[in-house]
Amino acid sequence: GQNIDQPTEMTATEGAIVQINCTYQTSGFNGLFWYQQHAGEAPTFLSYNVLDGLEEKGRFSSFLSRSKGYSYLLLKELQMKDSASYLCAVRDRGSNYQLIWGAGTKLIIKP
Amino acid sequence: EAGVTQFPSHSVIEKGQTVTLRCDPISGHDNLYWYRRVMGKEIKFLLHFVKESKQDESGMPNNRFLAERTGGTYSTLKVQPAELEDSGVYFCASSQEPAEASYPYNEQFFGPGTRLTVL
């Protein structure tokens, strides 16, 4: 079956670094996306991984290991505005290339 | 450029009533998706339009849900009759690239969602 797991909630301190993990089980992996969603707003695209390794984009980086079914989103120099939910989603050939979503990780940033 | 818009932002109806949600995608995006998020759970795919055609409606929960995209522009999602379990946030997204094997990267742009509460 298909399954995406993420921690429900994490807390971090302003200025610090936090890593949000995502593990997945799909029948035909075809890419992994991270989205950010502030409360009451639209999810917005953060990153995309389809090959193993690290993709860096400013303060945010995303890592993928296809053999382990594992990804993480790394946020550096945390700012209060980074308080949001972070959603991991996997494209799956077994689901007509539609996105399979994790339940999201609520990140709370404290001063 | 305007993003994806959805209307209404909130809807509260009673069980058995009908509700119609509207989504206006980004201009020029042929691909339009509907998703639903039930409280505390993950976002789930409902269906995918390419222009006015339903490319994939495998996620539609039952025949009480009807989606249309006449003319290939905006889309509507009608729930008739609504049940308690239909409560949740309904998101719409659009993309230039389709969800197909030949397009491994299709960034989807989301609307803010419609929060539906069925009492």
Side-chain angles (χ1 to χ4, degrees):
Chain A
Q2 301 148 343
N3 196 43
I4 314 289
D5 286 314
Q6 317 178 224
T8 303
E9 186 174 296
M10 299 181 70
T11 303
T13 305
E14 189 177 15
I17 298 174
V18 71
Q19 177 175 311
I20 303 174
N21 296 326
C22 171
T23 57
Y24 63 87
Q25 292 177 314
T26 58
S27 55
F29 177 83
N30 192 244
L32 186 145
F33 294 78
W34 283 96
Y35 277 79
Q36 179 192 59
Q37 185 182 20
H38 286 97
E41 297 183 10
T44 55
F45 169 79
L46 285 179
S47 69
Y48 168 73
N49 296 72
V50 69
L51 299 177
D52 292 348
L54 189 68
E55 294 283 341
E56 297 186 78
K57 190 187 291 186
R59 294 189 299 113
F60 293 5
S61 303
S62 58
F63 172 83
L64 175 67
S65 168
R66 289 171 295 170
S67 61
K68 295 181 180 178
Y70 167 69
S71 172
Y72 67 72
L73 181 69
L74 191 71
L75 293 75
K76 303 177 184 175
E77 302 168 17
L78 286 170
Q79 302 174 10
M80 297 303 291
K81 67 179 182 179
D82 297 330
S83 291
S85 284
Y86 291 85
L87 307 170
C88 174
V90 174
R91 264 171 59 114
D92 180 38
R93 280 193 294 273
S95 298
N96 300 322
Y97 301 94
Q98 302 299 343
L99 294 177
I100 310 297
W101 295 82
T105 298
K106 182 178 179 181
L107 178 63
I108 300 168
I109 309 297
K110 295 185 174 179
Chain B
E1 180 184 337
V4 178
T5 58
Q6 293 187 245
F7 182 83
S9 58
H10 294 77
S11 180
V12 180
I13 61 173
E14 294 191 350
K15 176 182 172 181
Q17 289 186 319
T18 298
V19 64
T20 300
L21 314 181
R22 173 170 170 147
C23 168
D24 287 77
I26 291 173
S27 177
H29 281 190
D30 288 340
N31 297 277
L32 187 149
Y33 310 81
W34 281 100
Y35 294 92
R36 175 172 73 174
R37 186 172 195 177
V38 173
M39 178 76 77
K41 297 199 170 181
E42 69 276 15
I43 294 173
K44 290 219 167 173
F45 165 79
L46 296 178
L47 90 160
H48 169 207
F49 282 101
V50 178
K51 296 184 180 178
E52 67 276 10
S53 299
K54 292 176 185 174
Q55 178 83 355
D56 183 352
E57 51 184 331
S58 60
M60 293 288 265
N62 52 60
N63 58 10
R64 295 186 294 103
F65 289 74
L66 176 64
E68 295 181 323
R69 194 182 181 196
T70 307
T73 55
Y74 71 91
S75 174
T76 58
L77 179 65
K78 181 190 287 188
V79 185
Q80 180 183 30
E83 297 289 344
L84 298 178
E85 64 264 25
D86 300 333
S87 294
V89 181
Y90 289 78
F91 290 103
C92 173
S94 70
S95 69
Q96 286 188 317
E97 304 84 5
E100 294 177 5
S102 53
Y103 294 90
Y105 172 67
N106 67 317
E107 179 180 347
Q108 297 183 18
F109 296 83
F110 281 76
T114 294
R115 182 173 296 278
L116 174 65
T117 303
V118 182
L119 302 177

